[in-house]
Amino acid sequence: LVRGCACRGTAGFVHVSCLAEQAKILCDEAEENNLDIKAKNERFRRWQECSLCEQTYHGGVKCALGWACWRTYVGRPEVDWARRDAMMQLGNGLADVDHHEDALPVREAELAIHRRLGLPEENILGVQTNLALTYSCLGRKEESLRMRRDVYYGRLKLHGEENESTLETANNYAWGLCGLERFEEAKA
C-alpha cells in the first residue's frame, strides 16, 4: 500500500496496481465509447493525479505509475496518442525520483517521435522543455541552454512576446544563462 496524494484516512492508501488498473479501465472506456479528446485527456489524467483529491502523484508512486502506463501502451503504434502520452508519463515519473540518466533516453525518443510524426510545434516545444530540464539535472548545462533558447524562440514565433508561456520560457532561458554566469546575455 502507498500514499501518493492528499487523501486522508483509508482513502489515502492504495495499491499502485489498483491505481493503474483504474486508469486503464477509464481510458479504455473513453476509446470504446469514442469520446472526444477532452474526455480522453480527462481520463488519462488518472495516470498522474488522484481522482478524489486531484493532487498530482509524486515520488515513487508517480514513477511506478509512469512505468505501468508505459507497459500498458508500449505495444501500440507510434502514432497512437496514448503511447506518446505514456512515454511522457514515464519520463516525468523517472525525473520525479531523480533518475535523470534513465529519463534522458525516454525524453530523447519522445522528441524524435514528435518530430518524425510532424506533431504541432507547441507539442514539440513542450517535449524540448522537459528535455532541457533533464539535461540541466544531469549537469549538461550548455545543452540545456541551447534547448531552452530554441524553446524560447519557438514560443516567441508562435505566440509573441507578451504571451504567458513565452514569458515563462524567457525566464527559464535567462536562469540558464545565469547558471553559466553569462549575466550580460541574461540581461538582454
Side-chain angles (χ1 to χ4, degrees):
L1 290 176
V2 296
R3 178 180 289 280
C5 64
C7 288
R8 297 291 176 233
T10 57
F13 291 101
V14 296
H15 296 104
V16 173
S17 60
C18 293
L19 290 174
E21 186 62 22
Q22 177 193 38
K24 182 184 177 311
I25 289 169
L26 287 171
C27 291
D28 287 350
E29 286 175 353
E31 288 185 323
E32 288 168 10
N33 295 318
N34 294 318
L35 299 182
D36 64 15
I37 192 68
K38 182 181 176 192
K40 286 180 183 177
N41 286 337
E42 212 170 275
R43 288 169 179 236
F44 201 85
R45 279 202 325 257
R46 294 293 72 86
W47 286 106
Q48 61 196 25
E49 73 180 31
C50 176
S51 61
L52 298 175
C53 70
E54 297 183 351
Q55 181 184 25
T56 300
Y57 296 119
H58 53 87
V61 173
K62 185 173 184 173
C63 186
L65 283 173
W67 276 111
C69 186
W70 177 244
R71 283 191 302 272
T72 300
Y73 299 108
V74 67
R76 293 186 178 194
E78 280 186 355
V79 298
D80 187 90
W81 68 273
R83 184 183 193 276
R84 290 191 313 273
D85 282 2
M87 185 175 273
M88 180 185 61
Q89 293 301 323
L90 176 58
N92 290 345
L94 290 166
D96 205 59
V97 293
D98 297 327
H99 291 190
H100 303 292
E101 287 285 347
D102 297 325
L104 181 61
V106 175
R107 303 274 197 219
E108 290 173 335
E110 184 182 9
L111 180 58
I113 290 169
H114 276 66
R115 285 179 170 159
R116 189 167 43 253
L117 295 176
L119 295 179
E121 186 66 16
E122 185 60 41
N123 295 24
I124 291 171
L125 294 172
V127 175
Q128 286 179 295
T129 298
N130 289 339
L131 183 54
L133 181 58
T134 301
Y135 284 146
S136 181
C137 291
L138 290 170
R140 295 165 64 171
K141 304 296 183 187
E142 289 289 342
E143 289 170 280
S144 175
L145 184 63
R146 282 192 297 275
M147 187 73 61
R148 288 172 196 248
R149 181 197 60 220
D150 292 348
V151 172
Y152 169 65
Y153 285 116
R155 289 224 165 102
L156 186 63
K157 182 180 173 185
L158 280 177
H159 306 298
E161 61 185 28
E162 299 297 319
N163 178 271
E164 184 177 345
S165 66
T166 303
L167 293 170
E168 287 174 6
T169 303
N171 187 51
N172 291 340
Y173 181 37
W175 275 110
L177 288 165
C178 290
L180 291 170
E181 298 184 10
R182 292 162 58 178
F183 302 113
E184 291 305 314
E185 288 178 75
K187 288 179 186 178

